Amino acid sequence: MNFNRVVIKVGSALVAPQGHGCSGQHLLSIARFITQCHLAGKEVILVSSGSVAAGRQLIQHGSPNPSIPAKQAMAAVGQMKMMANWQRFFDVPCSQLLITHGDLKDRKRYINIRNTLRILLENKIIPIVNENDTVATDELKVGDNDNLAALVAMVSEADCLLILSDVDGVYDQDPRTNPQAKKLKVINQITPAIYAMAGGSQNHIATGGMKTKIQAAEKAVDNGIATFIVDGAQPEAFDQLLRGENPGTLFTPQDSVTKAKKHWLKHTLKSAGQLVLDAGASKALTTKGASLLASGIVQVNGQFDVGDSIEMRCQTSEQIIAKGISQYNSRDLNKIKGQHSDSFEKLLGFCPSKVIVHRDDLVLINAQHKE
Ligand code: GLU
């Protein structure tokens, strides 16, 4: 397998093949695959649908198409069942993250989600993400877990997105009605013609369809994340993935995750402020691949918030040496600059992060110091 961190999206059709409840039928081979990924030293984040299906029979709704509040109640009761269903397949602990698009759009919450995922993975805990259906209104929700999984892959900086479905890839025509339909094994560019092949959702319990999967793939590849659509009901597909083969459709990114991210940090994000560093911190950033610590900051210029992009320069020169995402706002940084992280709690009353700019959120600017 050519990835280090993978987001695996499991659709409702796999969690609840009958359309209601929770089943282990397909999850067993998915869980086995996840365990094998762990054994190979890979990190795995799950995005699982199925809460609405799991709660369906527990909420009286009296119609084949339940109201939104009824679905939200189904999600509330079904989420626990769905999580319990997953946990029984693993010896390692599972954790639950319920998020909405509103959370991912908010810089502070985005950073919080990212930090949480980072720590869960460091502690060998499986993060299981779903949309927070109970609170999400139309304007705030992602709406389907394919796109949610792409956003989770971006926030977690995964290098692979694996969309498990009840189809084994993208076909040039509908394979259910046309036996001549051919599978597209590799898609290097997502064009309107690819969307046209996808059509809408065919499954009565799944929210998306091939269209939302292609939207997800488009988001992911733009961020350097290789994306597969694979039939999660076929255990052999997982053996193929483990052997580095492609059992479905692979969408290839143009750039690597690091390159795409560095490009975004360097060229797209506008800096909201500047940190002036002492010579030691400047050297640690440019030659040692270190994160930025507060102890090396001598001055904070401008007003910025947590999650904003900031520039860094050495106090001996005007030249910008790095750009990155700040874990603190400028007001708090003014209180902790020059200090050791042990004193943050005393100075601020809290310590969300020991580093000010994490190495993963930092790009060097000067060509001489290119990584
Ligand atoms: N969040 C929904 C659920 O857990 C699923 C949305 C989707 O499958 O795209 O039932």
Side-chain angles (χ1 to χ4, degrees):
M1 284 172 298
N2 301 325
F3 56 81
N4 292 315
R5 183 177 293 164
V6 60
V7 170
I8 305 179
K9 187 263 172 173
V10 183
S12 296
L14 294 168
V15 179
Q18 322 298 333
H20 57 81
C22 277
S23 155
Q25 189 188 342
H26 302 304
L27 304 202
L28 185 60
S29 47
I30 300 171
R32 194 174 139 260
F33 172 68
I34 293 172
T35 303
Q36 280 166 326
C37 287
H38 282 165
L39 289 172
K42 317 280 178 192
E43 293 176 326
V44 181
I45 297 169
L46 257 176
V47 172
S48 179
S49 304
S51 66
V52 175
R56 203 172 188 93
Q57 289 193 319
L58 301 170
I59 299 291
Q60 292 180 359
H61 51 96
S63 110
N65 207 355
S67 65
I68 289 174
K71 275 196 186 161
Q72 291 177 318
M74 288 170 189
V77 63
Q79 179 67 25
M80 288 183 63
K81 292 191 166 296
M82 197 256 277
M83 288 298 295
N85 194 35
W86 274 116
Q87 181 64 75
R88 69 195 174 105
F89 295 104
F90 298 106
D91 289 336
V92 293
C94 294
S95 56
Q96 170 178 277
L97 287 89
L98 295 176
I99 56 182
T100 64
H101 198 232
D103 299 324
L104 291 160
K105 275 198 313 200
D106 180 286
R107 273 169 314 188
K108 261 191 211 161
R109 290 189 240 165
Y110 186 92
I111 293 276
N112 290 344
I113 295 167
R114 179 148 54 179
N115 290 344
T116 305
L117 284 168
R118 206 177 255 157
I119 294 178
L120 288 170
L121 293 174
E122 276 167 20
N123 285 277
K124 314 264 178 269
I125 293 167
I126 304 176
I128 305 185
V129 184
N130 195 2
E131 182 133 39
N132 195 350
D133 290 315
T134 310
V135 302
T137 49
D138 270 347
E139 353 30 287
L140 283 182
K141 69 179 178 190
V142 180
D144 67 86
N145 276 9
D146 297 319
N147 278 290
L148 178 67
L151 296 169
V152 169
M154 284 152 64
V155 72
S156 63
E157 286 171 7
D159 51 1
C160 183
L161 169 63
L162 184 55
I163 301 178
L164 301 182
S165 184
D166 54 353
V167 282
D168 71 342
V170 181
Y171 282 79
D172 60 351
Q173 298 169 62
D174 189 341
R176 277 164 291 226
T177 52
N178 195 334
Q180 309 297 325
K182 275 202 203 62
K183 187 162 80 177
L184 308 177
K185 291 233 19 140
V186 178
I187 297 179
N188 293 317
Q189 215 181 355
I190 299 174
T191 58
I194 301 285
Y195 275 104
M197 288 172 199
S201 174
Q202 305 285 339
N203 185 309
H204 66 292
I205 40 164
T207 306
M210 198 44 87
K211 187 171 156 211
T212 54
K213 293 181 181 33
I214 293 176
Q215 287 170 346
E218 191 169 11
K219 281 193 185 74
V221 293
D222 276 353
N223 286 278
I225 305 164
T227 303
F228 289 89
I229 297 176
V230 167
D231 187 349
Q234 299 297 329
E236 319 78 77
F238 298 113
D239 299 330
Q240 285 178 269
L241 283 166
L242 288 168
R243 290 198 297 269
E245 295 164 15
N246 165 18
T249 295
L250 164 66
F251 298 84
T252 55
Q254 309 294 326
D255 283 334
S256 69
V257 176
T258 325
K259 212 166 153 207
K261 180 168 178 204
K262 295 210 157 168
H263 187 272
W264 172 74
L265 261 173
K266 204 165 173 174
H267 304 290
T268 318
L269 265 194
K270 217 171 152 291
S271 297
Q274 192 188 69
L275 300 180
V276 182
L277 316 181
D278 64 19
S282 307
K283 190 155 175 240
L285 293 194
T286 53
T287 62
K288 300 210 177 85
S291 295
L292 177 67
L293 304 176
S295 53
I297 303 174
V298 291
Q299 196 181 317
V300 179
N301 295 330
Q303 285 191 344
F304 50 87
D305 214 336
V306 176
D308 275 345
S309 161
I310 43 167
E311 300 171 341
M312 285 150 265
R313 71 169 173 88
C314 183
Q315 58 184 346
T316 56
S317 157
E318 285 301 311
Q319 199 173 30
I320 303 304
I321 54 170
K323 242 178 115 174
I325 305 288
S326 181
Q327 294 271 351
Y328 286 86
N329 65 33
S330 46
R331 208 185 39 245
D332 291 338
L333 267 185
N334 268 309
K335 295 186 195 149
I336 58 175
K337 65 174 191 247
Q339 304 294 326
H340 191 274
S341 60
D342 286 350
S343 61
F344 292 0
E345 195 74 54
K346 202 174 85 215
L347 293 165
L348 301 174
F350 57 91
C351 174
S353 164
K354 284 185 189 297
V355 302
I356 308 307
V357 180
H358 194 280
R359 188 66 202 180
D360 293 349
D361 299 334
L362 186 141
V363 59
L364 297 178
I365 301 293
N366 194 334
Q368 288 137 254
H369 298 302
K370 257 208 181 117
E371 288 157 303

mmCIF file of all heavy atoms in Angstrom, residues 150-179:
data_model
loop_
_atom_site.group_PDB
_atom_site.id
_atom_site.type_symbol
_atom_site.label_atom_id
_atom_site.label_comp_id
_atom_site.label_asym_id
_atom_site.label_seq_id
_atom_site.Cartn_x
_atom_site.Cartn_y
_atom_site.Cartn_z
ATOM 1 N N ALA A 150 -13.994 13.616 2.245
ATOM 2 C CA ALA A 150 -12.933 14.382 1.557
ATOM 3 C C ALA A 150 -12.454 15.518 2.456
ATOM 4 O O ALA A 150 -11.255 15.772 2.561
ATOM 5 C CB ALA A 150 -13.452 14.932 0.236
ATOM 6 N N LEU A 151 -13.395 16.173 3.135
ATOM 7 C CA LEU A 151 -13.009 17.278 4.022
ATOM 8 C C LEU A 151 -12.213 16.750 5.211
ATOM 9 O O LEU A 151 -11.243 17.373 5.655
ATOM 10 C CB LEU A 151 -14.262 18.038 4.496
ATOM 11 C CG LEU A 151 -15.047 18.733 3.366
ATOM 12 C CD1 LEU A 151 -16.397 19.235 3.855
ATOM 13 C CD2 LEU A 151 -14.244 19.897 2.786
ATOM 14 N N VAL A 152 -12.587 15.575 5.700
ATOM 15 C CA VAL A 152 -11.841 14.973 6.816
ATOM 16 C C VAL A 152 -10.431 14.596 6.343
ATOM 17 O O VAL A 152 -9.450 14.773 7.067
ATOM 18 C CB VAL A 152 -12.598 13.745 7.385
ATOM 19 C CG1 VAL A 152 -11.742 12.950 8.352
ATOM 20 C CG2 VAL A 152 -13.879 14.194 8.078
ATOM 21 N N ALA A 153 -10.330 14.111 5.108
ATOM 22 C CA ALA A 153 -9.007 13.766 4.571
ATOM 23 C C ALA A 153 -8.146 15.026 4.489
ATOM 24 O O ALA A 153 -6.948 14.998 4.769
ATOM 25 C CB ALA A 153 -9.142 13.116 3.195
ATOM 26 N N MET A 154 -8.770 16.147 4.148
ATOM 27 C CA MET A 154 -8.012 17.397 4.046
ATOM 28 C C MET A 154 -7.608 17.903 5.430
ATOM 29 O O MET A 154 -6.454 18.261 5.651
ATOM 30 C CB MET A 154 -8.844 18.464 3.321
ATOM 31 C CG MET A 154 -8.884 18.238 1.827
ATOM 32 S SD MET A 154 -10.357 18.863 1.029
ATOM 33 C CE MET A 154 -10.210 20.598 1.308
ATOM 34 N N VAL A 155 -8.565 17.891 6.364
ATOM 35 C CA VAL A 155 -8.241 18.432 7.697
ATOM 36 C C VAL A 155 -7.200 17.548 8.398
ATOM 37 O O VAL A 155 -6.353 18.040 9.142
ATOM 38 C CB VAL A 155 -9.529 18.649 8.549
ATOM 39 C CG1 VAL A 155 -10.144 17.394 9.013
ATOM 40 C CG2 VAL A 155 -9.266 19.509 9.766
ATOM 41 N N SER A 156 -7.233 16.262 8.114
ATOM 42 C CA SER A 156 -6.302 15.352 8.797
ATOM 43 C C SER A 156 -5.002 15.165 8.008
ATOM 44 O O SER A 156 -4.117 14.443 8.436
ATOM 45 C CB SER A 156 -6.953 13.977 8.995
ATOM 46 O OG SER A 156 -7.230 13.392 7.739
ATOM 47 N N GLU A 157 -4.943 15.786 6.826
ATOM 48 C CA GLU A 157 -3.782 15.635 5.953
ATOM 49 C C GLU A 157 -3.470 14.189 5.608
ATOM 50 O O GLU A 157 -2.318 13.746 5.675
ATOM 51 C CB GLU A 157 -2.579 16.330 6.553
ATOM 52 C CG GLU A 157 -2.807 17.795 6.372
ATOM 53 C CD GLU A 157 -1.839 18.662 7.092
ATOM 54 O OE1 GLU A 157 -0.877 18.152 7.645
ATOM 55 O OE2 GLU A 157 -2.076 19.858 7.077
ATOM 56 N N ALA A 158 -4.522 13.477 5.282
ATOM 57 C CA ALA A 158 -4.350 12.101 4.821
ATOM 58 C C ALA A 158 -3.742 12.141 3.420
ATOM 59 O O ALA A 158 -3.853 13.143 2.719
ATOM 60 C CB ALA A 158 -5.707 11.419 4.789
ATOM 61 N N ASP A 159 -3.088 11.039 3.032
ATOM 62 C CA ASP A 159 -2.593 10.997 1.657
ATOM 63 C C ASP A 159 -3.428 10.065 0.793
ATOM 64 O O ASP A 159 -3.145 9.889 -0.393
ATOM 65 C CB ASP A 159 -1.098 10.646 1.590
ATOM 66 C CG ASP A 159 -0.749 9.407 2.382
ATOM 67 O OD1 ASP A 159 -1.672 8.801 2.967
ATOM 68 O OD2 ASP A 159 0.431 9.044 2.441
ATOM 69 N N CYS A 160 -4.476 9.473 1.389
ATOM 70 C CA CYS A 160 -5.337 8.580 0.604
ATOM 71 C C CYS A 160 -6.772 8.649 1.127
ATOM 72 O O CYS A 160 -6.992 8.716 2.340
ATOM 73 C CB CYS A 160 -4.795 7.151 0.695
ATOM 74 S SG CYS A 160 -5.702 5.952 -0.279
ATOM 75 N N LEU A 161 -7.721 8.644 0.209
ATOM 76 C CA LEU A 161 -9.142 8.581 0.568
ATOM 77 C C LEU A 161 -9.703 7.336 -0.111
ATOM 78 O O LEU A 161 -9.553 7.156 -1.319
ATOM 79 C CB LEU A 161 -9.861 9.844 0.070
ATOM 80 C CG LEU A 161 -11.391 9.838 0.128
ATOM 81 C CD1 LEU A 161 -11.900 9.729 1.566
ATOM 82 C CD2 LEU A 161 -11.950 11.126 -0.505
ATOM 83 N N LEU A 162 -10.323 6.497 0.709
ATOM 84 C CA LEU A 162 -10.868 5.248 0.179
ATOM 85 C C LEU A 162 -12.377 5.285 0.388
ATOM 86 O O LEU A 162 -12.848 5.257 1.527
ATOM 87 C CB LEU A 162 -10.228 4.106 0.985
ATOM 88 C CG LEU A 162 -10.523 2.681 0.619
ATOM 89 C CD1 LEU A 162 -10.202 2.419 -0.838
ATOM 90 C CD2 LEU A 162 -9.689 1.751 1.506
ATOM 91 N N ILE A 163 -13.122 5.399 -0.710
ATOM 92 C CA ILE A 163 -14.576 5.475 -0.597
ATOM 93 C C ILE A 163 -15.132 4.075 -0.853
ATOM 94 O O ILE A 163 -15.043 3.556 -1.973
ATOM 95 C CB ILE A 163 -15.162 6.490 -1.600
ATOM 96 C CG1 ILE A 163 -14.557 7.878 -1.340
ATOM 97 C CG2 ILE A 163 -16.678 6.536 -1.512
ATOM 98 C CD1 ILE A 163 -15.031 8.964 -2.308
ATOM 99 N N LEU A 164 -15.655 3.463 0.201
ATOM 100 C CA LEU A 164 -16.203 2.108 0.067
ATOM 101 C C LEU A 164 -17.693 2.217 -0.209
ATOM 102 O O LEU A 164 -18.424 2.885 0.511
ATOM 103 C CB LEU A 164 -15.989 1.308 1.348
ATOM 104 C CG LEU A 164 -14.541 1.137 1.794
ATOM 105 C CD1 LEU A 164 -14.487 0.288 3.056
ATOM 106 C CD2 LEU A 164 -13.706 0.490 0.683
ATOM 107 N N SER A 165 -18.114 1.528 -1.245
ATOM 108 C CA SER A 165 -19.508 1.648 -1.643
ATOM 109 C C SER A 165 -20.049 0.288 -2.026
ATOM 110 O O SER A 165 -19.414 -0.743 -1.781
ATOM 111 C CB SER A 165 -19.554 2.608 -2.826
ATOM 112 O OG SER A 165 -20.877 2.830 -3.193
ATOM 113 N N ASP A 166 -21.238 0.260 -2.637
ATOM 114 C CA ASP A 166 -21.754 -1.014 -3.125
ATOM 115 C C ASP A 166 -21.537 -1.128 -4.636
ATOM 116 O O ASP A 166 -22.100 -1.988 -5.289
ATOM 117 C CB ASP A 166 -23.230 -1.192 -2.746
ATOM 118 C CG ASP A 166 -24.083 -0.022 -3.201
ATOM 119 O OD1 ASP A 166 -23.522 0.984 -3.691
ATOM 120 O OD2 ASP A 166 -25.315 -0.106 -3.070
ATOM 121 N N VAL A 167 -20.731 -0.220 -5.182
ATOM 122 C CA VAL A 167 -20.314 -0.341 -6.589
ATOM 123 C C VAL A 167 -18.790 -0.374 -6.623
ATOM 124 O O VAL A 167 -18.146 0.134 -5.710
ATOM 125 C CB VAL A 167 -20.788 0.847 -7.468
ATOM 126 C CG1 VAL A 167 -22.229 0.711 -7.838
ATOM 127 C CG2 VAL A 167 -20.509 2.173 -6.786
ATOM 128 N N ASP A 168 -18.224 -0.958 -7.652
ATOM 129 C CA ASP A 168 -16.764 -1.139 -7.627
ATOM 130 C C ASP A 168 -16.027 -0.118 -8.472
ATOM 131 O O ASP A 168 -14.913 -0.368 -8.903
ATOM 132 C CB ASP A 168 -16.387 -2.568 -8.024
ATOM 133 C CG ASP A 168 -16.624 -2.842 -9.498
ATOM 134 O OD1 ASP A 168 -17.380 -2.074 -10.132
ATOM 135 O OD2 ASP A 168 -16.064 -3.824 -10.020
ATOM 136 N N GLY A 169 -16.650 1.043 -8.698
ATOM 137 C CA GLY A 169 -15.929 2.086 -9.412
ATOM 138 C C GLY A 169 -16.840 2.882 -10.326
ATOM 139 O O GLY A 169 -18.072 2.741 -10.275
ATOM 140 N N VAL A 170 -16.207 3.695 -11.151
ATOM 141 C CA VAL A 170 -16.950 4.542 -12.087
ATOM 142 C C VAL A 170 -17.004 3.831 -13.430
ATOM 143 O O VAL A 170 -15.973 3.356 -13.921
ATOM 144 C CB VAL A 170 -16.228 5.905 -12.265
ATOM 145 C CG1 VAL A 170 -17.003 6.808 -13.212
ATOM 146 C CG2 VAL A 170 -16.018 6.589 -10.922
ATOM 147 N N TYR A 171 -18.200 3.755 -13.999
ATOM 148 C CA TYR A 171 -18.381 3.118 -15.316
ATOM 149 C C TYR A 171 -18.743 4.168 -16.356
ATOM 150 O O TYR A 171 -19.318 5.212 -16.011
ATOM 151 C CB TYR A 171 -19.493 2.074 -15.230
ATOM 152 C CG TYR A 171 -19.026 0.785 -14.572
ATOM 153 C CD1 TYR A 171 -18.926 0.700 -13.196
ATOM 154 C CD2 TYR A 171 -18.676 -0.318 -15.336
ATOM 155 C CE1 TYR A 171 -18.475 -0.464 -12.581
ATOM 156 C CE2 TYR A 171 -18.231 -1.493 -14.743
ATOM 157 C CZ TYR A 171 -18.131 -1.561 -13.370
ATOM 158 O OH TYR A 171 -17.687 -2.709 -12.787
ATOM 159 N N ASP A 172 -18.443 3.873 -17.605
ATOM 160 C CA ASP A 172 -18.776 4.843 -18.659
ATOM 161 C C ASP A 172 -20.274 4.867 -18.950
ATOM 162 O O ASP A 172 -20.795 5.811 -19.522
ATOM 163 C CB ASP A 172 -17.946 4.591 -19.936
ATOM 164 C CG ASP A 172 -18.179 3.214 -20.532
ATOM 165 O OD1 ASP A 172 -18.854 2.378 -19.872
ATOM 166 O OD2 ASP A 172 -17.686 2.962 -21.645
ATOM 167 N N GLN A 173 -20.991 3.800 -18.538
ATOM 168 C CA GLN A 173 -22.456 3.766 -18.649
ATOM 169 C C GLN A 173 -22.972 3.045 -17.413
ATOM 170 O O GLN A 173 -22.175 2.437 -16.705
ATOM 171 C CB GLN A 173 -22.879 2.975 -19.885
ATOM 172 C CG GLN A 173 -22.384 3.591 -21.181
ATOM 173 C CD GLN A 173 -22.585 2.637 -22.344
ATOM 174 O OE1 GLN A 173 -23.696 2.270 -22.680
ATOM 175 N NE2 GLN A 173 -21.481 2.212 -22.946
ATOM 176 N N ASP A 174 -24.300 3.075 -17.200
ATOM 177 C CA ASP A 174 -24.827 2.422 -16.006
ATOM 178 C C ASP A 174 -24.676 0.896 -16.139
ATOM 179 O O ASP A 174 -25.312 0.282 -16.990
ATOM 180 C CB ASP A 174 -26.304 2.800 -15.826
ATOM 181 C CG ASP A 174 -26.843 2.330 -14.488
ATOM 182 O OD1 ASP A 174 -26.216 1.421 -13.870
ATOM 183 O OD2 ASP A 174 -27.877 2.845 -14.057
ATOM 184 N N PRO A 175 -23.836 0.275 -15.281
ATOM 185 C CA PRO A 175 -23.599 -1.169 -15.447
ATOM 186 C C PRO A 175 -24.832 -2.023 -15.106
ATOM 187 O O PRO A 175 -24.926 -3.175 -15.523
ATOM 188 C CB PRO A 175 -22.451 -1.452 -14.471
ATOM 189 C CG PRO A 175 -22.462 -0.328 -13.496
ATOM 190 C CD PRO A 175 -23.065 0.861 -14.189
ATOM 191 N N ARG A 176 -25.802 -1.419 -14.376
ATOM 192 C CA ARG A 176 -27.003 -2.189 -14.029
ATOM 193 C C ARG A 176 -27.911 -2.382 -15.228
ATOM 194 O O ARG A 176 -28.640 -3.352 -15.328
ATOM 195 C CB ARG A 176 -27.785 -1.472 -12.921
ATOM 196 C CG ARG A 176 -27.232 -1.774 -11.545
ATOM 197 C CD ARG A 176 -27.739 -0.784 -10.556
ATOM 198 N NE ARG A 176 -27.135 0.519 -10.844
ATOM 199 C CZ ARG A 176 -26.618 1.318 -9.935
ATOM 200 N NH1 ARG A 176 -26.666 0.974 -8.675
ATOM 201 N NH2 ARG A 176 -26.085 2.464 -10.264
ATOM 202 N N THR A 177 -27.866 -1.420 -16.149
ATOM 203 C CA THR A 177 -28.769 -1.527 -17.292
ATOM 204 C C THR A 177 -28.018 -1.842 -18.583
ATOM 205 O O THR A 177 -28.629 -2.222 -19.573
ATOM 206 C CB THR A 177 -29.548 -0.192 -17.470
ATOM 207 O OG1 THR A 177 -28.593 0.868 -17.495
ATOM 208 C CG2 THR A 177 -30.532 0.024 -16.328
ATOM 209 N N ASN A 178 -26.707 -1.655 -18.542
ATOM 210 C CA ASN A 178 -25.949 -1.875 -19.774
ATOM 211 C C ASN A 178 -24.762 -2.814 -19.554
ATOM 212 O O ASN A 178 -23.742 -2.418 -18.989
ATOM 213 C CB ASN A 178 -25.456 -0.516 -20.298
ATOM 214 C CG ASN A 178 -24.992 -0.635 -21.722
ATOM 215 O OD1 ASN A 178 -24.590 -1.715 -22.164
ATOM 216 N ND2 ASN A 178 -25.047 0.467 -22.443
ATOM 217 N N PRO A 179 -24.898 -4.062 -20.015
ATOM 218 C CA PRO A 179 -23.825 -5.031 -19.769
ATOM 219 C C PRO A 179 -22.521 -4.676 -20.494
ATOM 220 O O PRO A 179 -21.455 -5.191 -20.143
ATOM 221 C CB PRO A 179 -24.395 -6.354 -20.287
ATOM 222 C CG PRO A 179 -25.619 -6.005 -21.061
ATOM 223 C CD PRO A 179 -26.043 -4.620 -20.719
#
